[in-house]
């Protein structure tokens, strides 16, 4: 079993979007996956409630009250959707379970500074190994000044920037139906799916679709 933690104490950076789409990827490949929602807003579980029976299942776990989460023994991938404003004690607990940590960052000055402080504190407190953490630039629009500022800043953190996910309406359309972009027709979401390739390879340590 492999556990992937999506974390950033800054709210609104797209943690649940990454968590639900990653879950949909594994489900598509018939990998038994659990989505554990620690956020009181329960965005990931609300997404799961919209997911129809025609799609491969994702096992949902409500951990929004901070209780330890348990998943069925047959689950092969566990995705932890961490809450915003998570305290250090809870963060340490989640890091103990995580094999990989993904930190989404939005292209805004406030989010860039917050991400820098977050990663800096983790490194200072030795809560993580750089090899187990990846950054994701989320909702980006290339060829803008703030995008260049974001990539230049993230390059200085000595943590790999594994994906640049564009600001796409496909994520909104998919979420409304309990889908992920991987569930959408290739002609509609091909560009978005391609932007996930390197991130999934990093999570799996192999080509997409393997590691079951």
């Amino acid at each position: 079993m492999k556990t992937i933690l999506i974390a950033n104490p800054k709210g609104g950076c797209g943690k649940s979007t990454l968590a639900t789409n990653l879950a949909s990827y594994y489900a598509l490949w018939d990998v038994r996956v659990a989505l554990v929602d620690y956020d009181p807003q329960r965005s990931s579980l609300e997404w799961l409630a919209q997911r129809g029976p025609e799609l491969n299942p994702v096992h949902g776990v409500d951990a929004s009250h901070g209780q330890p989460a348990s998943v069925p023994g047959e689950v092969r991938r566990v995705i932890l959707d961490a809450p915003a404003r998570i305290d250090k004690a809870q963060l340490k607990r989640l890091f103990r379970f995580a094999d990989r940590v993904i930190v989404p960052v939005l292209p805004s000055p406030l989010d860039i500074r917050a991400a820098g402080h977050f990663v800096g504190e983790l490194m200072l407190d030795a809560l993580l190994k750089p090899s187990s953490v990846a950054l994701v630039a989320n909702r980006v629009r290339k060829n803008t000044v703030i995008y260049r500022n974001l990539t230049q800043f993230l390059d200085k953190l000595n943590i790999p920037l594994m994906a640049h996910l564009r600001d796409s309406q496909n994520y909104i359309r998919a979420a409304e139906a309990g889908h992920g972009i991987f569930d959408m027709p290739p002609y509609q979401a091909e560009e978005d799916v391609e932007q996930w390739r390197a991130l999934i390879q990093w999570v799996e340590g192999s080509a997409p679709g393997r590691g079951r």
Side-chain angles (χ1 to χ4, degrees), residues 2 26 31 76-77 204 206-212:
K2 180 176 288 186
Y26 286 122
V31 178
R76 307 310 304 159
R77 296 293 181 270
E204 288 298 305
S206 63
R210 300 182 185 172
R212 303 184 195 182

Side-chain angles (χ1 to χ4, degrees), residues 61-62 162:
V61 178
D62 187 354
M162 282 295 173

Side-chain angles (χ1 to χ4, degrees), residues 5-210:
L5 171 63
I6 317 294
N8 187 330
K10 178 72 170 59
C13 61
K15 291 187 293 294
S16 295
T17 297
L18 265 67
T20 54
N21 278 276
L22 189 58
S24 76
Y25 167 81
Y26 286 122
L28 180 66
W29 284 90
D30 290 322
V31 178
R32 294 186 181 275
V33 57
L35 182 56
V36 183
D37 195 345
Y38 283 90
D39 197 321
Q41 294 185 13
R42 303 172 79 252
S43 298
S44 287
L45 292 179
E46 289 182 358
W47 169 84
L48 190 55
Q50 300 301 316
R51 192 169 176 82
E54 74 280 4
L55 299 172
N56 288 343
V58 173
H59 182 80
V61 178
D62 187 354
S64 60
H65 299 295
Q67 300 299 320
S70 61
V71 299
E74 67 271 16
V75 165
R76 307 310 304 159
R77 296 293 181 270
V78 180
I79 301 169
L80 309 179
D81 185 2
R85 296 179 296 278
I86 185 172
D87 61 55
K88 191 168 292 186
Q90 186 180 13
L91 188 63
K92 286 182 178 180
R93 289 195 296 271
L94 295 182
F95 266 93
R96 284 200 295 268
F97 297 115
D99 300 294
R100 297 289 198 214
V101 180
I102 300 174
V103 181
V105 186
L106 292 182
S108 76
L110 183 60
D111 286 273
I112 291 172
R113 288 194 294 270
H117 292 314
F118 177 55
V119 172
E121 288 178 2
L122 297 179
M123 298 293 288
L124 184 64
D125 292 343
L127 291 181
L128 55 82
K129 297 179 180 179
S131 61
S132 67
V133 182
L135 298 164
V136 171
N138 196 26
R139 301 178 197 154
V140 298
R141 296 181 180 180
K142 293 188 176 182
N143 302 319
T144 62
V145 173
I146 191 61
Y147 173 76
R148 290 194 295 271
N149 291 343
L150 174 64
T151 54
Q152 290 171 4
F153 173 78
L154 296 181
D155 285 342
K156 297 177 182 178
L157 294 180
N158 295 322
I159 292 176
L161 177 57
M162 282 295 173
H164 301 74
L165 305 182
R166 65 177 185 147
D167 188 8
S168 170
Q169 289 296 307
N170 281 335
Y171 290 103
I172 297 174
R173 297 189 188 102
E176 289 175 346
H179 293 188
I181 58 167
F182 302 99
D183 300 312
M184 301 178 75
Y187 72 86
Q188 188 173 355
E190 182 178 6
E191 182 177 353
D192 296 305
V193 168
E194 180 61 29
Q195 291 177 340
W196 279 76
R197 186 176 301 276
L199 178 63
I200 292 172
Q201 288 177 332
W202 172 81
V203 169
E204 288 298 305
S206 63
R210 300 182 185 172

